[in-house]
Structure formats: structure tokens, C-alpha cells
């Protein structure tokens, strides 16, 4: 059988103090017994399972919820202080006591249950029983407290050991980090040196490529200049070999010249033709101007010399 003991104050007399003991088998919903005492008198009574079901039906509340309300009102004690009221009324001879318990609401209260308690013939025995229960509860609580204290000491000792191990782990971690950092710095510096060497090699390779490209460009330019000079020499040579053919008049002109060259008419045309033969070949000056415009500044002097020589030969 399980028991609880709580101190209550009735609503009718808040200064008065009563002790309420509740005892039950297995579960509070199967019924329970009450023992109420003011340390002078004692009253007792029981509430059956059917009484609990009837009370729950009267207030239209689910039975399980009603049993939970009874547990809070009669067993919880200080946890439910102020939420529940107790009404105690005794007759003049203290032979009987009417005991009821209520649930407080914002705008009032409703009665959870009530019963009539009968006087205990020997209140001293009842009070003795209450004192014995208090001593037993105190002993159990003391034993539980000692057990918890020993458990607390054990946990504190374990915590101290764990703390020491943790400090060692932290020191080992810091040493490992310092060692890894030193190695990392060495590797990083080595990688930086390799990167600088590779960059230097890359820049040298780029410079070599640029120089080779410039050399190929100068060779190509030289070859182009030589080719152009050769082409120009060939063209001027051909013109110098056939100057008379370029200056000969056409067939109708030769017939006209034969007529004009008769003894009866004096014609100045042959003299103009002779002057044309003495003049430079047609198109030579234009070719020279175009060629000079295409040549670089350093090649113009040589080109002019070559052209003048050609022109002199043609004349």
C-alpha cells in the first residue's frame, strides 16, 4: 500500500493546520482511504471505486481525467497549492467531520468530491501512525540523499579524471598543430621557390619565342625585299632590252610618216619622235614611285640606286 502525507489549510480557517494522509492500492482510481488530523483529533474515511465513478459522472468529466484531478488535489501537495480548496466542517462533539475538495477557477470553483469522515477512537494511535510515516519518509529521503551524494562524488571524481585527460589531449593537440604548422611552412616555401623557378623559365621561354618570331619575321622581310628587287630588276631589264619596240609607231603612223617625209613637205614630226626616243620609257617613273612607297626607310636608298642604274641603262 502506498501512502502520502500533506499539510492543508481549510478555506473556512486558513490559520488552522491539518494533516491529510491518503493511502491506496495499486492506483488511486481503484479507491483510496483518508486520515485527517489536527494533532488533537483524528477522522478517517474511504472512497470506493464506484464512488469515484459516480462523482465523475455527476460533474460530467471523463473518469481518467477526474482521477488525475484527484491525484493533483490530494497527493501533489505543494505542487498544486492555490489551485485547490479544502472545506472542513466538524460537529460539536467532533464525532464526525465533513471533508470536501474543490478545484479553483477564475470566476469560481467546482466541487470534485466530498465524504463524511468518522472520528478515530484512539487519536493518539493515529497521530503516532502519522509521525511514524514521517520518520520513515525522512529515513528514505535521507538514504536517497546519501546515495545521491555518493553518486555525485563519484561523478565529480570521474569528471576530474576526464578534465585531466582533456588537458593532456589539448596539450598534445597544440604540439601536433605546431609541428604540422612548421612542416607546412617548409613545404609552402619549397612550393613557392618551385613556382618562382617555373615562372622564370616560362618568362625566358616567352622571350625566346618572341626573339625567334622576330628573327623569322626579319628573314621573311629580307626574302620579300630580295624577291621584289629581283622582280623589279627583271621588269626593268626587259624594258631596257626593248625600248625601240615600245617607241615604234603603229602601221598607220608609219604610212603617214612616209607621206609626210616626202621632199615637198617639211614636217617636224620626226624631231618629236626623236625627242620621245631620248625621253624615259613610258611607265618607268610610276613603277619607281610605287616601289619606293612599299620599301622601308632603310631600303629606299638602295632601291633608288638600283632604279637610277636601271633608268640610265634604259636611256
Amino acid at each position: 500500500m502506498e501512502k502520502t502525507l500533506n499539510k492543508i489549510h481549510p478555506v473556512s480557517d486558513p490559520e488552522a493546520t491539518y494533516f491529510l494522509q491518503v493511502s491506496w492500492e495499486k492506483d488511486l482510481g481503484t479507491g483510496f482511504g483518508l486520515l485527517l488530523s489536527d494533532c488533537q483529533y483524528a477522522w478517517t474515511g474511504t472512497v470506493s471505486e464506484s464512488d469515484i465513478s459516480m462523482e465523475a459522472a455527476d460533474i460530467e468529466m471523463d473518469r481518467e481525467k477526474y482521477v488525475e484531478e484527484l491525484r493533483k488535489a490530494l497527493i501533489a501537495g505543494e505542487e498544486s497549492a492555490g489551485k485547490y480548496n479544502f472545506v472542513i466542517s466538524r460537529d460539536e462533539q467532533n464525532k464526525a467531520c465533513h471533508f470536501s475538495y474543490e478545484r479553483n477557477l477564475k470566476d469560481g470553483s467546482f466541487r470534485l468530491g466530498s465524504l463524511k469522515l468518522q472520528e478515530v477512537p484512539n487519536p493518539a494511535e493515529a497521530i503516532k501512525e502519522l509521525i511514524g510515516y514521517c520518520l520513515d519518509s525522512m529515513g528514505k529521503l535521507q538514504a536517497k540523499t546519501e546515495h545521491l551524494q555518493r553518486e555525485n562524488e563519484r561523478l565529480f571524481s570521474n569528471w576530474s579524471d576526464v578534465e585531466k585527460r582533456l588537458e593532456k589531449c589539448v596539450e598534445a593537440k597544440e604540439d601536433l598543430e605546431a609541428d604540422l604548422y612548421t612542416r607546412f611552412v617548409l613545404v609552402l616555401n619549397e612550393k613557392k621557390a618551385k613556382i618562382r623557378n617555373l615562372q622564370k623559365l616560362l618568362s625566358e621561354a616567352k622571350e625566346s619565342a618572341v626573339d625567334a618570331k622576330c628573327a623569322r619575321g626579319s628573314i621573311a622581310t629580307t626574302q620579300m625585299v630580295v624577291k621584289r628587287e629581283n622582280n623589279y630588276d627583271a621588269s626593268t631589264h626587259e624594258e631596257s632590252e626593248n625600248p625601240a619596240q615600245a617607241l615604234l609607231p603603229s602601221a598607220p603612223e608609219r604610212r603617214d610618216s612616209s607621206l609626210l617625209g616626202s621632199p615637198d613637205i617639211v614636217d617636224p614630226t620626226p624631231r618629236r619622235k626623236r625627242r620621245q626616243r631620248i625621253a624615259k620609257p613610258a611607265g618607268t617613273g610610276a613603277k619607281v614611285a610605287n616601289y619606293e612607297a612599299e620599301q622601308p626607310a632603310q631600303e629606299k636608298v638602295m632601291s633608288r640606286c638600283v632604279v637610277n642604274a636601271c633608268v640610265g641603262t634604259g636611256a
Side-chain angles (χ1 to χ4, degrees), residues 155-171:
L155 293 176
F156 182 78
S157 177
N158 293 340
W159 177 79
S160 299
D161 295 340
V162 171
E163 186 179 15
K164 292 178 181 178
R165 292 180 183 178
L166 183 60
E167 290 177 355
K168 292 181 180 179
C169 291
V170 170
E171 292 177 358

Side-chain angles (χ1 to χ4, degrees), residues 26-304:
K26 296 182 181 179
D27 182 68
L28 195 66
T30 59
F32 55 90
L34 296 177
L35 176 63
L36 183 65
S37 174
D38 61 354
C39 296
Q40 293 181 357
Y41 300 95
W43 301 269
T44 184
T46 57
V47 178
S48 63
E49 185 175 359
S50 60
D51 293 334
I52 293 174
S53 300
M54 188 180 299
E55 292 286 351
D58 289 342
I59 61 176
E60 298 180 355
M61 182 182 293
D62 183 71
R63 190 177 187 282
E64 293 182 358
K65 186 176 181 180
Y66 178 74
V67 172
E68 182 65 21
E69 289 290 337
L70 290 178
R71 189 190 68 78
K72 293 178 181 180
L74 302 176
I75 298 175
E78 296 295 332
E79 297 178 4
S80 301
K83 297 180 180 179
Y84 299 90
N85 294 331
F86 300 97
V87 179
I88 300 174
S89 60
R90 301 184 293 181
D91 58 12
E92 296 179 358
Q93 290 82 19
N94 294 320
K95 297 297 183 181
C97 176
H98 186 78
F99 178 72
S100 63
Y101 31 94
E102 301 175 349
R103 177 72 162 88
N104 284 333
L105 300 176
K106 292 181 179 180
D107 54 351
S109 63
F110 70 91
R111 185 177 58 85
L112 290 174
S114 63
L115 72 158
K116 187 177 181 180
L117 302 178
Q118 300 295 327
E119 182 185 13
V120 176
N122 190 359
E125 290 294 331
I127 295 172
K128 182 180 177 181
E129 181 182 353
L130 295 179
I131 294 173
Y133 173 80
C134 291
L135 293 175
D136 293 340
S137 299
M138 288 178 62
K140 291 179 182 178
L141 292 176
Q142 184 67 28
K144 186 175 181 180
T145 301
E146 292 176 356
H147 173 74
L148 292 176
Q149 185 66 29
R150 289 192 299 270
E151 188 69 17
N152 188 28
E153 292 175 357
R154 184 183 64 82
L155 293 176
F156 182 78
S157 177
N158 293 340
W159 177 79
S160 299
D161 295 340
V162 171
E163 186 179 15
K164 292 178 181 178
R165 292 180 183 178
L166 183 60
E167 290 177 355
K168 292 181 180 179
C169 291
V170 170
E171 292 177 358
K173 172 180 170 292
E174 292 177 353
D175 295 339
L176 180 60
E177 286 180 351
D179 183 54
L180 290 177
Y181 181 76
T182 303
R183 294 183 182 181
F184 173 75
V185 170
L186 295 176
V187 174
L188 181 62
N189 293 333
E190 184 179 354
K191 296 298 182 182
K192 285 182 178 180
K194 288 184 180 180
I195 291 172
R196 285 194 292 267
N197 293 333
L198 292 176
Q199 289 178 345
K200 184 178 179 181
L201 293 175
L202 181 61
S203 61
E204 292 177 356
K206 287 183 178 179
E207 292 177 359
S208 300
V210 171
D211 295 340
K213 186 176 181 181
C214 293
R216 288 196 299 270
S218 62
I219 293 171
T221 303
T222 304
Q223 291 177 353
M224 186 179 296
V225 170
V226 172
K227 184 176 181 181
R228 287 181 179 177
E229 289 178 355
N230 293 335
N231 293 337
Y232 183 75
D233 291 341
S235 63
T236 54
H237 182 67
E238 290 178 359
E239 290 179 357
S240 64
E241 288 179 354
N242 301 317
Q245 187 176 5
L247 297 175
L248 287 176
S250 60
E253 290 179 351
R254 286 199 296 272
R255 287 196 297 270
D256 294 340
S257 64
S258 62
L259 293 174
L260 294 173
S262 61
D264 297 335
I265 301 172
V266 180
D267 189 2
T269 303
R271 294 180 182 178
R272 289 196 300 271
K273 289 183 179 180
R274 284 195 298 270
R275 286 196 297 271
Q276 290 174 359
R277 292 190 192 99
I278 295 171
K280 294 179 180 180
T284 302
K287 291 181 180 180
V288 171
N290 293 333
Y291 181 75
E292 289 178 351
E294 294 175 357
Q295 301 302 315
Q298 297 179 356
E299 300 172 3
K300 284 186 177 181
V301 176
M302 184 183 292
S303 300
R304 286 197 186 97

